[in-house]
Amino acid sequence: RTFNSIKFIQSFISGLRYLVSQIMLINEYISQNGKPDLVNVHICYKAGIGALYCKWRYGIRYVVSEHWTIFCKGAHPGFSDQSFIARWFIRLIYRNATHCSTVSEYLGRSISEKFNIRAPVRIPNVVDTKLFRPITSERNIFRFIHISVLNYQKSPEEIFEAVKILKQNT
């Protein structure tokens, strides 16, 4: 990788603004509501920086609920594609977390190996069809919602192909 000083400076300024905003919001929240018992970090970076601040400043523990696939082998972009500062912060965030959970065993093993931490608990992010199921309706309207960054790990082309097949068969 080549060093791009302009990109580095822009990234540093952006990160600094983000950090200052997080600190201001955290301090305001705590002054109005008191200290929470626990902070849940949903995807370690950049939100984990605020959790680190909470731990160091207020002694509040935090857990990381990880969904980010950059830690998996073959991910593009992957962990090694992140900036030095991002990789440093991510390691620090995991080292200081009380516990970690992931959405798959594969992601959990990848994180455990990469950061030399206890294996995260797997909490799948799927719908329990025993509790939630489609209702029958007279409406003939199909609604589809997919929320993600639409990167290759989410396979948006395959999702749309599956919807096309579903439409043809129902």
Side-chain angles (χ1 to χ4, degrees):
R1 265 196 296 204
T2 59
F3 181 76
N4 182 332
S5 60
I6 293 173
K7 186 176 179 183
F8 175 82
I9 292 168
Q10 289 172 335
S11 177
F12 181 79
I13 291 170
S14 172
L16 192 58
R17 284 182 180 152
Y18 187 85
L19 176 61
V20 169
S21 296
Q22 276 190 328
I23 289 171
M24 288 172 52
L25 289 170
I26 289 165
N27 290 340
E28 181 180 339
Y29 176 86
I30 290 174
S31 72
Q32 292 176 3
N33 302 290
K35 290 188 335 185
D37 296 318
L38 184 72
V39 172
N40 179 26
V41 175
H42 200 64
I43 303 180
C44 69
Y45 186 74
K46 297 179 180 175
I49 297 170
L52 276 170
Y53 172 75
C54 286
K55 181 176 180 174
W56 293 339
R57 172 72 171 85
Y58 295 105
I60 303 167
R61 297 175 307 137
Y62 68 90
V63 296
V64 178
S65 301
E66 192 60 73
H67 298 243
W68 204 9
T69 54
I70 69 160
F71 304 111
C72 297
K73 293 175 184 156
H76 182 73
F79 178 71
S80 61
D81 297 314
Q82 303 301 305
S83 71
F84 169 79
I85 292 171
R87 292 190 317 266
W88 184 81
F89 267 116
I90 291 168
R91 284 186 186 98
L92 192 61
I93 289 162
Y94 274 111
R95 213 173 297 129
N96 283 275
T98 299
H99 201 65
C100 176
S101 68
T102 59
V103 295
S104 72
E105 288 181 26
Y106 181 71
L107 178 57
R109 278 193 309 274
S110 297
I111 289 171
S112 178
E113 292 167 8
K114 189 170 293 308
F115 302 114
N116 195 27
I117 62 170
R118 184 172 35 146
V121 172
R122 182 180 66 94
I123 303 174
N125 63 348
V126 295
V127 175
D128 183 346
T129 56
K130 292 176 188 149
L131 295 174
F132 302 98
R133 57 194 161 282
I135 58 169
T136 55
S137 174
E138 300 300 316
R139 297 184 318 189
N140 196 13
I141 298 171
F142 175 77
R143 290 192 176 109
F144 174 77
I145 299 173
H146 174 78
I147 301 171
S148 79
V149 293
L150 295 175
N151 59 0
Y152 86 96
Q153 292 102 334
K154 305 301 180 191
S155 304
E157 296 86 4
E158 292 174 6
I159 291 171
F160 294 127
E161 185 63 28
V163 170
K164 180 181 171 185
I165 292 168
L166 182 65
K167 184 177 178 187
Q168 291 170 348
N169 294 330
T170 60

